[in-house]
Amino acid sequence: MKTPCDLSELDAFAAVARHHSFRKAADERGVSASALSHAMRALEGRLGVRLLNRTTRSVTPTEAGNQLLATLVPALAEIAKGLHELTFKQEVPTGTLAPFTAAYPRVNVELVADDGLSDIIDKGFDAGVRFGESLAGDMIAVPVGSPQGFVTVAAPGYLRRHGTPDTPQRLLEHACIGRRFPSGKLYKWEYRAEGQPMRLAVAGPLILEDDTLMIQAAKDGAGIAYVYEEMARDYMAQGQLEEILEDWKALPSRFFIYYSSRRHVPPALQALIEFVRETQHP
């Protein structure tokens, strides 16, 4: 069984092919040429095909390499565009936190995004935000926002070529876009069967950490993705993505802001908790 390759390896291959040189591509990426050459040989080994012709003077893509580039280059361009747009949007403060900082100008708020399920006590944080099922029993939790559901989606073209799985187990026959946590653990997709929760370890040629990238890859026909429904809704409405396994969907989960019950709550955190409670929709 071939080991999936990640996006950074594919981007590195595209850089080598663009420069026709390991040295120039390595300089661009801030690594050594030998390390990059080794990474490309490892990639070829996992794919089971030679991607690059190497000589003492230049490096050129093979026929298989050019075939991969034809799909890879536009996909990487779309991903870069999506990340740029996402970064631009994040420059404008929105949501509940901005009104809170306006109402409490003397409170300094620092946010750290971390999907690794860190211990907030050990890391020195006052509070954290998680899905309810991930909370420890000794934490005090206050709901934030509306329940969030996940959907299983794929491009219509992918489903025409490969068929539509009618049960979660049939996903094992398909190219699934995996999700890896910062801890290194792969996320198991969640469903419900006869009212009982089930989790499925899927496999595929692409593993990512970000829903925006997963959605883009699914739209490009790379495989089936499991993403936040809110983020995929517009693409489903436009026909770019199609939801599958609707009858097997897991129940929506809700985010909570949580903090330790074992220590005194700082006044600033208490103000934030009360602000969250007051701004929640009934």
Side-chain angles (χ1 to χ4, degrees), residues 7 70-82 153-159 161-162 177 206 208 212-225 235 239-242:
L7 192 61
T71 301
L72 187 59
V73 170
L76 289 173
E78 286 295 321
I79 289 172
K81 177 182 176 183
V153 295
Y158 174 90
L159 298 176
R161 292 191 303 272
H162 302 285
I177 301 168
L206 190 60
L208 301 169
T212 301
L213 298 182
M214 295 174 196
I215 289 172
Q216 184 62 57
K219 286 167 54 184
D220 290 338
I224 299 173
Y235 301 107
Q240 297 181 68
L241 290 175
E242 183 176 324

Side-chain angles (χ1 to χ4, degrees), residues 177-213:
I177 301 168
R179 180 192 300 268
R180 190 185 298 279
F181 291 117
S183 65
K185 185 178 181 180
L186 285 171
Y187 176 67
K188 293 182 179 180
W189 294 8
E190 299 182 49
Y191 298 96
R192 287 182 70 82
E194 298 180 352
Q196 298 300 314
M198 63 175 292
R199 304 182 72 195
L200 187 70
V202 300
L206 190 60
I207 298 174
L208 301 169
E209 295 183 354
D210 180 83
D211 282 70
T212 301
L213 298 182

Side-chain angles (χ1 to χ4, degrees), residues 14 41 52 136 208 214 220 231 249:
R41 290 192 183 279
L52 297 166
L208 301 169
M214 295 174 196
D220 290 338
M231 298 183 69
K249 287 170 66 171

Side-chain angles (χ1 to χ4, degrees), residues 150-171:
F150 285 83
V151 290
T152 310
V153 295
Y158 174 90
L159 298 176
R160 284 195 300 269
R161 292 191 303 272
H162 302 285
T164 302
D166 54 4
T167 67
Q169 288 81 0
R170 297 296 294 273
L171 289 170

